[in-house]
Amino acid sequence: METHVRRLENFEISKGADLPQDPVISFGPEDLRRIVAPHNDALVVTATIANYDMARIFIDNGSSGRDSRWVTKMITFTMVDTPSSYNGILGRPALKDFRAVASMYHQKLKFPVGKEVGVLCGDQKVARRYYVGIAKEEGSCGGQYD
């Protein structure tokens, strides 16, 4: 029988006074309202980028309403000239800059806005439509929506 050793190391990153006083971000049963379950959908959202509403943004972590809980950040995008089902991909660097937490299960991206929590809701219909399109193009079989 193999023995696996795990070690937890504590590192002091900064003093408590230097840490942002962000609200607690959590997900619960109320976040599952209007979610078609069970699902295996990607988290695909619409966001405003350079003053344009850009649909089909894939949230990569390893229909939202606009209210007072939104954040504007200047981030660097890498432009690629390749076919894709998505108009943009927000990965770990951008999610870190926004201090955002994504839950594919809840189909939501949450982020601090002052003392409140902003929410960006995923669009399951769009995620499924483009998954099916990709699966057909690649001749995939065995996917949940084939």
Side-chain angles (χ1 to χ4, degrees), residues 52-130:
Y52 293 97
D53 286 339
M54 185 178 290
R56 294 193 335 260
I57 298 175
F58 174 61
I59 303 299
D60 182 14
N61 63 342
S63 86
S64 71
R66 180 175 289 171
D67 58 20
S68 63
R69 291 173 292 192
W70 57 288
V71 176
T72 300
K73 295 262 187 210
M74 296 298 290
I75 59 175
T76 302
F77 282 92
T78 301
M79 302 298 288
V80 293
D81 186 10
T82 185
S84 175
S85 292
Y86 304 107
N87 291 322
I89 298 173
L90 289 181
R92 289 184 304 245
L95 296 176
K96 176 194 62 78
D97 288 347
F98 282 100
R99 297 190 318 269
V101 179
S103 172
M104 290 191 322
Y105 178 72
H106 295 94
Q107 288 288 298
K108 289 192 171 52
L109 180 72
K110 293 187 176 187
F111 50 93
V113 182
K115 294 183 179 189
E116 296 186 53
V117 176
V119 179
L120 194 56
C121 297
D123 189 331
Q124 283 186 287
K125 288 180 184 177
V126 169
R128 289 177 182 202
R129 184 178 329 129
Y130 285 92

